[in-house]
């Protein structure tokens, strides 16, 4: 299963180089949703963080928004556990 996810992630990473904004945004959304799987989380986050250097600010904002939403939920759930 790990090998399959790795291949999917690499394919999505390739889509991040597309010139079509919709394709990039979809790949970002899918990659962000895959961060729920802890085994590959660090690898995916590195891919997304590297895209912060993209010249298209719309893509950079999309990455920021997706990561913020994903990790805000994690922080919220961890705060509940700490209380």
């Amino acid at each position: 299963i790990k090998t399959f996810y790795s291949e999917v992630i690499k394919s999505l990473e390739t889509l991040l180089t597309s010139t079509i904004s919709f394709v990039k945004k979809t790949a970002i959304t899918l990659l962000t949703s895959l961060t729920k799987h802890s085994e590959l989380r660090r690898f995916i986050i590195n891919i997304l963080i590297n895209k912060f250097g993209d010249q298209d600010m719309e893509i950079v904002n999309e990455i920021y928004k997706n990561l913020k939403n994903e990790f805000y939920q994690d922080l919220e759930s961890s705060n509940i556990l700490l209380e």
Side-chain angles (χ1 to χ4, degrees):
I1 294 177
K2 241 184 191 181
T3 306
F4 172 74
Y5 275 123
S6 293
E7 290 177 25
V8 169
I9 291 167
K10 287 177 185 176
S11 296
L12 290 170
E13 182 179 15
T14 302
L15 291 176
L16 289 174
T17 62
S18 172
T19 56
I20 302 168
S21 185
F22 175 77
V23 172
K24 284 184 178 181
K25 287 181 180 182
T26 303
I28 290 166
T29 302
L30 291 171
L31 282 167
T32 305
S33 70
L34 289 174
T35 61
K36 292 179 174 85
H37 303 283
S38 61
E39 308 85 35
L40 301 170
R41 187 177 215 172
R42 190 171 288 175
F43 179 59
I44 296 168
I45 291 171
N46 283 333
I47 291 169
L48 292 171
I49 288 174
N50 284 334
K51 288 306 288 178
F52 275 125
D54 198 298
Q55 292 182 357
D56 185 349
M57 286 308 294
E58 188 177 343
I59 298 303
V60 173
N61 289 333
E62 187 72 19
I63 293 168
Y64 173 76
K65 180 183 77 173
N66 277 281
L67 287 175
K68 180 182 167 194
N69 288 340
E70 184 63 37
F71 293 109
Y72 182 77
Q73 290 172 356
D74 286 352
L75 288 173
E76 284 293 309
S77 62
S78 66
N79 282 338
I80 292 170
L81 293 175
L82 292 174
E83 291 178 353

